């Protein structure tokens, strides 16, 4: 009789321990914190696929936890949701790292573009300084000077966007600046040719 | 006997057991049917439908163009997912997916609305950016026509070029789907065009104020020539004509070329403008000029010097600027363009012709517009 009672008590204790497993609150909070970091790193913009995968995993983990929360205490099991929270956290961490790398890649790309635009501007300024100054080309040179000034204004605008972290807008503007600078260089060549023709 | 005796109670007991079993079976069947009726399937199809609708909304740019609606759909989907999970965790007879179903239906609707709104807004924004770009392009072309030719105003050209830069930027931004930035770039370009209007208005106002003065100068030159029977020169910059007069009468009209910034009064050395005022020939250079013959005039005269000092004092021109000199009527012209630094250029043949009539002291009146004369 005592043997049966003991077995029953041990079984009940085991059920109690297993059934009343602890909800993975800490894992959920940790995943939420890492998600915020990913948002701050603009992962949603720079690595949307990685970010969405992490978010889907987190949402599924929350649903799995919710399912267990609503069960009778003795039947709860948070093992699966805990694993999912840990996976979501890892995915958000990866998305954050990837976003930072992607942002840096875009930044370097636009910075290179800015350097190219600056080099083009400098060479246009040098070409303009060396352009023939005699009568007959002066009006052309004055007009080219105006064009070069407007390109400088455009460059400053693109640079401001770049400094403000608006890389995509800055990229488009630097492209326009380089296009117009090339036009200025062509104008200088044409003015030189015109003068040589005189 | 013994067997028979025990048989009767056994039969009764079997009947009772059978009845009891039937009752238990009925009860069990009832419980089972209750359990089965409580076992609803979770709305997985609705969940998948809402999820796909949200993916589609994201694909068409709802995160950017209809963000509030997208976030609402995203939240509804998660709320629905949680509600379904909550029900799944309950003991089966107590599961009820109705609420989850309706939340997921709401998420589906919101996602579809976000997608539709994004497409509408994207289309509208693109169309606005395209229209703004085309409008600025058209305006720039029309200003290009207005600024070309004789009206070479460098301030206006500067604003035109700034607007052109803005146009190129907006084009580049439209290609990269940055419509709002493109519209902003066009607005900046339009501001530059407004500045062109202001420059031209100032120019027109200045002309309106000065036209009386120019008429007076022309009349005084004609009157002096008539009274003294002398030769004189009148240059009309807007007409690009040099008039040779004698005894108040027109002897000859020459086409002339001017400074590359001929539409303005001359303010300082290197501004490319031909001066406006009453001058006279100070030297005739049959040789010695770098051009084919030249008549040097007395620029700057006293009025020019006063204006130069005044403008410098007011900061209108650089304090390092010089007033300039060596304004001539010279040869080597005939280029059909305003190309000099401020001189008046004729063809060599016309210069030969003019030199026959002109000598040191001959009055030279230069006006931007002579209007009623000749």
């Amino acid at each position: 009789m005592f043997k049966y009672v003991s077995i029953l008590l041990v079984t009940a204790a085991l059920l109690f321990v297993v059934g009343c497993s602890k909800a993975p609150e800490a894992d959920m909070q940790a995943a939420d914190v890492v998600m915020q970091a990913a948002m701050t790193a603009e992962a949603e913009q720079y690595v949307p696929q990685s970010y969405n995968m992490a978010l889907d995993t987190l949402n599924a983990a929350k649903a799995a936890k919710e399912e267990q929360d609503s069960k009778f205490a003795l039947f709860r099991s948070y093992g699966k949701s805990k694993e999912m929270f840990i996976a979501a956290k890892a995915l958000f961490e990866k998305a954050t790292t990837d976003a930072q790398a992607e942002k840096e890649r875009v930044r370097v790309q636009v910075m290179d573009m800015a350097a190219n635009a600056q080099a083009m501007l400098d060479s246009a300024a040098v070409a303009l300084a060396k352009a023939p100054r005699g009568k007959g080309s002066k009006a052309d040179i004055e007009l080219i000077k105006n064009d070069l000034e407007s390109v400088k204004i455009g460059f400053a605008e693109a640079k401001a966007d770049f400094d403000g972290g608006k890389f995509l807008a800055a990229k488009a503007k630097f492209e326009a600046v380089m296009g117009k600078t090339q036009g200025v260089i062509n104008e200088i060549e044409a003015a030189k040719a015109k003068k040589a023709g005189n | 006997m013994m067997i028979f005796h025990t048989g009767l109670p056994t039969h009764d007991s079997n009947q009772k057991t059978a009845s009891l079993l039937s009752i238990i079976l009925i009860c069990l069947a009832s419980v089972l049917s209750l359990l089965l009726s409580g076992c609803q399937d979770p709305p997985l199809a609705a969940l998948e439908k809402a999820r796909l609708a949200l993916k589609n909304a994201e694909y068409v740019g709802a995160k950017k163009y209809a963000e509030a609606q997208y976030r609402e759909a995203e939240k509804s989907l998660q709320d629905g997912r949680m509600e379904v999970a909550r029900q799944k965790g309950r003991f089966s007879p107590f599961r009820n997916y109705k609420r989850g179903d309706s939340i997921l239906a709401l998420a589906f609707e919101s996602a579809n609305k976000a997608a539709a709104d994004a497409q509408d807004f994207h289309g509208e924004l693109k169309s606005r950016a395209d229209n703004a770009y085309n409008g600025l392009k058209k305006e720039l072309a029309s200003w290009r026509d207005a600024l070309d030719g004789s009206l070479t105003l460098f301030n206006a050209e500067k604003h035109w070029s700034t607007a052109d830069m803005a146009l190129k930027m907006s084009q580049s931004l439209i290609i990269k789907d940055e419509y709002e930035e493109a519209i902003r770039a066009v607005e900046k370009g339009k501001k530059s065009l407004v500045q062109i209007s202001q420059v031209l208005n100032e120019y027109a106002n200045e002309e309106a104020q000065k036209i009386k003065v120019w008429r007076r100068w022309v009349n005084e030159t004609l009157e002096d020539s008539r009274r003294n029977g002398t030769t004189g020169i009148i240059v009309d910059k807007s007409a690009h004509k040099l008039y040779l007069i004698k005894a108040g009468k027109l002897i000859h009209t020459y086409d002339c070329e001017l400074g590359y910034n001929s539409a303005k009064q001359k303010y300082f050395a290197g501004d490319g403008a031909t001066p406006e005022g009453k001058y006279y020939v100070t030297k005739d250079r049959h040789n010695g000029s770098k051009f084919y013959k030249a008549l040097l005039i007395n620029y700057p005269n006293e009025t020019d010097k006063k204006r130069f000092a005044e403008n410098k004092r007011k900061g209108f021109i650089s304090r390092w600027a010089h007033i300039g000199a060596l304004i001539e009527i010279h040869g080597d012209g005939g280029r059909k363009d305003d190309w000099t630094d401020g001189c008046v250029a004729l063809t060599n043949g016309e210069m030969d012709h003019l030199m026959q009539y002109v000598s040191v002291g001959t009055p030279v009146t230069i006006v931007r517009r002579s209007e009623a004369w000749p």
Side-chain angles (χ1 to χ4, degrees), chain A:
Chain A
M1 184 65 182
F2 176 74
K3 191 182 168 190
Y4 290 122
V5 171
S6 301
I7 289 169
L8 268 174
L9 281 173
V10 168
T11 310
L14 273 173
L15 270 172
F16 185 78
V17 169
V18 173
C20 292
S21 67
K22 210 176 158 190
E25 296 292 344
D27 296 297
M28 187 172 75
Q29 277 174 14
D32 279 336
V33 167
V34 181
M35 184 189 78
Q36 285 301 323
M39 283 175 80
T40 309
E42 296 173 283
E44 203 172 4
Q45 188 188 341
Y46 284 99
V47 282
Q49 282 185 333
S50 301
Y51 178 85
N52 284 344
M53 194 192 283
L55 187 66
D56 285 347
T57 309
L58 179 66
N59 287 338
K62 283 181 177 172
K65 179 184 168 290
E66 184 71 17
E67 188 180 332
Q68 297 304 317
D69 282 348
S70 60
K71 278 185 178 173
F72 181 59
L74 286 177
F75 302 115
R76 283 177 196 161
S77 167
Y78 289 106
K80 191 183 158 198
S81 62
K82 186 180 169 72
E83 272 176 29
M84 287 167 90
F85 280 125
I86 291 167
K89 183 173 173 271
L91 286 171
F92 276 125
E93 279 167 351
K94 188 178 180 310
T96 306
T97 314
D98 289 353
Q100 283 163 344
E102 177 62 10
K103 199 173 175 182
E104 180 60 13
R105 191 189 66 77
V106 174
R107 195 187 73 82
V108 169
Q109 190 189 42
V110 181
M111 200 167 71
D112 286 349
M113 202 177 250
N116 287 340
Q118 181 68 65
M120 277 180 87
L121 257 171
D122 291 345
S123 74
V126 169
L128 189 61
K130 285 182 183 169
R133 293 277 145 182
K135 285 188 176 183
S137 63
K138 196 148 188 178
D140 295 334
I141 299 294
E142 288 298 320
L143 290 176
I144 296 169
K145 262 189 197 171
N146 276 338
D147 283 343
L148 198 60
E149 282 307 310
S150 72
V151 173
K152 283 178 185 169
I153 292 168
F155 181 87
E157 214 177 284
K159 182 81 173 35
D161 278 351
F162 176 77
D163 291 341
K166 287 160 79 177
F167 299 134
L168 294 178
K171 194 176 171 185
K173 287 180 181 176
F174 279 129
E175 275 173 13
V177 164
M178 287 200 283
K180 180 140 180 161
T181 311
Q182 188 55 55
V184 169
I185 292 169
N186 295 343
E187 281 175 38
I188 296 169
E189 291 305 317
K192 274 184 191 171
K194 192 175 164 188
K195 180 71 183 169
N198 284 342

Side-chain angles (χ1 to χ4, degrees), chain B residues 127-144:
Chain B
S127 153
R128 266 175 58 205
D130 284 341
N131 288 342
Y133 169 80
N134 288 326
L136 180 62
K137 193 176 174 186
K138 211 171 162 184
E139 272 191 72
L140 268 168
S142 105
W143 276 115
R144 178 73 284 155

Side-chain angles (χ1 to χ4, degrees), chain B residues 36-45 84 88 95-98 101:
Chain B
L36 287 173
S37 70
C39 276
Q40 292 177 17
D41 285 331
L44 296 179
V84 170
K88 267 172 84 180
R95 284 178 194 158
N96 183 350
Y97 290 109
K98 272 187 185 169
D101 223 5

Side-chain angles (χ1 to χ4, degrees), chain B residues 79-80 83 86-87 96-105:
Chain B
D79 287 349
E83 175 59 23
R86 205 172 293 126
Q87 295 303 325
N96 183 350
Y97 290 109
K98 272 187 185 169
R99 189 164 173 267
D101 223 5
S102 67
I103 296 174
L104 289 171

